[in-house]
Amino acid sequence: MSGSPFLQSIRTYLRTNHYSYQTEKCYLYWIKDFIRYHRMEHPQNLSDADVSNYLSFLVVERNVSRSTQKQSLNALAFLYREIIGNPLGVLPGITRSKKPLRLPTVFSPDEVSRIFSVLTGEYKVIASLLYGSGMRISEALSLRVKDIDFTRSTVTVRQSKGEKDRVTILSKLSAQLLSDHFSHLKINYDSLKLDSDWPGVHLPNALGKKYPNAHRSWGWQFVFPSSTNPPDLITGVRRGYHRHPRTIGRVLNHAFKQANITKHASSHAFRHSFATHLLEAGYDIRTVQELLGHKSVETTQIYTHVMNKGANAVKSPLDHL
């Protein structure tokens, strides 16, 4: 199915309109799953009721979360609006997921210190950006040299969730670690550039056509380059890319164990901790929302439930006896 002309047309539309690769993978996954559920029937021949049945199936049979059901709905809404040209109407009778929203895992400052004490090299630099700048792992790994501003102590996050750019803070520790990291990165870059056949790095969208020399320029190099060169999604040419999130995740999980962290945590816990600790320090929730790149302040408000203030700061009457 993955090679069908219909799915290829969707892939072409997504790339032509500069959707992120993660969005492309997500949308295609749900569209293919939707087609399989309806026994390979073309979506053009299916009704709004068929969409409702599928979304209900995800909850009843697969027990998916609220966010997963919403993700699949977004993919199908895109399919019918942009590809088929027949936007979905009201979808009555959908069984909504009632899984409760879980509070995020947040490290204490002491736990963060213990984790950093066991991290070294490139992994410590990445972790410093996750906790010190509130970045997602995918955002940190996608950074280019030009996105780091040491003078203003800022990091520009390009095409983050929602396809928007934002600026966040650069901690002093991150700046120090990145400065050392860049020294080694520049040596390797200078060596590669001596090879006239070196194709350079992957560029977003069709930027390489507009700026043919940008592939080999210092500013466009990835801060955390991969050792492999995957094919460019548009041209098929193998170019430099960034490290894979799964590799970094495995190293961080090992560090959590070494630091005796008993909480169920992933790399995203650093971002949760960044937001929570800023709010605990008295920073305005709107400022934190902007740094995180949240579309709605309601998303940021979840961190108020895990702050060391409010109900969490109340002492039990038993402690006064």
Side-chain angles (χ1 to χ4, degrees):
M1 185 199 294
S2 57
S4 71
F6 177 65
L7 291 176
Q8 187 57 46
S9 69
I10 298 174
R11 184 178 287 106
T12 300
Y13 181 93
L14 288 164
R15 293 182 184 180
T16 302
N17 289 276
H18 311 314
Y19 284 75
S20 72
Y21 183 50
Q22 292 299 322
T23 301
E24 176 185 321
K25 288 199 301 182
C26 175
Y27 279 12
L28 287 174
Y29 171 84
W30 288 115
I31 291 169
K32 285 190 286 186
D33 194 66
F34 175 67
I35 294 172
R36 289 193 189 99
Y37 173 77
H38 288 292
R39 301 184 179 183
M40 310 306 290
E41 184 68 47
H42 195 289
Q44 190 169 353
N45 301 326
L46 299 172
S47 65
D48 288 358
D50 294 316
V51 174
S52 296
N53 290 337
Y54 170 70
L55 294 172
S56 297
F57 160 79
L58 292 178
V59 172
V60 176
E61 298 297 330
R62 292 189 185 171
N63 196 32
V64 302
S65 67
R66 183 183 309 176
S67 61
T68 301
Q69 187 186 44
K70 184 178 179 181
Q71 190 181 74
S72 62
L73 174 57
N74 289 340
L76 296 178
F78 158 82
L79 171 66
Y80 281 93
R81 181 183 66 250
E82 305 295 340
I83 306 300
I84 296 178
N86 183 22
L88 294 174
V90 178
L91 300 176
I94 298 178
T95 302
R96 300 287 183 177
S97 176
K98 296 181 180 179
K99 281 190 172 182
L101 291 174
R102 302 296 182 186
L103 293 179
T105 298
V106 174
F107 297 130
S108 69
D110 176 66
E111 288 172 328
V112 173
S113 297
R114 280 163 29 207
I115 295 169
F116 272 77
S117 69
V118 300
L119 287 171
T120 58
E122 188 177 59
Y123 303 107
K124 189 170 186 177
V125 185
I126 294 170
S128 76
L129 291 169
L130 302 183
Y131 175 64
S133 303
M135 302 175 71
R136 300 176 179 90
I137 184 69
S138 59
E139 294 171 345
L141 296 181
S142 300
L143 286 174
R144 313 272 182 160
V145 170
K146 66 182 183 60
D147 297 329
I148 310 297
D149 190 332
F150 290 102
T151 303
R152 299 179 61 194
S153 297
T154 59
V155 182
T156 301
V157 182
R158 308 285 181 182
Q159 292 184 307
S160 61
K161 196 172 182 179
E163 300 301 304
K164 295 181 180 179
D165 295 352
R166 75 176 191 278
V167 176
T168 186
I169 55 179
L170 179 68
S171 69
K172 291 181 179 179
L173 176 61
S174 292
Q176 179 185 339
L177 294 173
L178 280 169
S179 180
D180 296 337
H181 179 66
F182 275 19
S183 298
H184 299 292
L185 201 64
K186 189 66 163 59
I187 293 173
N188 186 57
Y189 166 74
D190 289 338
S191 176
L192 289 170
K193 201 173 181 183
L194 291 175
D195 183 359
S196 58
D197 294 328
W198 177 53
V201 296
H202 165 77
L203 294 180
N205 306 325
L207 198 64
K209 293 183 179 179
K210 188 175 183 180
Y211 303 107
N213 297 323
H215 292 288
R216 293 168 57 93
S217 70
W218 168 241
W220 279 101
Q221 301 306 300
F222 286 107
V223 177
F224 306 107
S226 170
S227 58
T228 60
N229 297 328
D232 189 294
L233 293 175
I234 297 176
T235 65
V237 177
R238 289 189 173 274
R239 302 185 188 276
Y241 207 61
H242 58 71
R243 297 286 300 274
H244 197 285
R246 193 178 298 116
T247 306
I248 307 302
R250 284 197 293 263
V251 173
L252 291 179
N253 287 335
H254 181 64
F256 297 158
K257 292 179 181 178
Q258 284 185 301
N260 295 318
I261 304 299
T262 57
K263 298 173 180 175
H264 180 69
S266 66
S267 61
H268 212 63
F270 283 122
R271 178 173 161 88
H272 295 322
S273 303
F274 166 84
T276 305
H277 294 168
L278 282 182
L279 290 171
E280 288 177 345
Y283 288 95
D284 180 74
I285 193 169
R286 294 283 183 180
T287 300
V288 178
Q289 175 194 359
E290 185 177 339
L291 292 173
L292 292 173
H294 284 162
K295 185 177 180 180
S296 170
V297 72
E298 293 180 359
T299 308
T300 316
Q301 283 176 337
I302 192 171
Y303 297 113
T304 62
H305 297 293
V306 289
M307 289 171 56
N308 192 26
K309 291 185 178 181
N312 291 334
V314 174
K315 288 189 175 181
S316 168
L318 183 61
D319 295 332
H320 294 289
L321 295 180

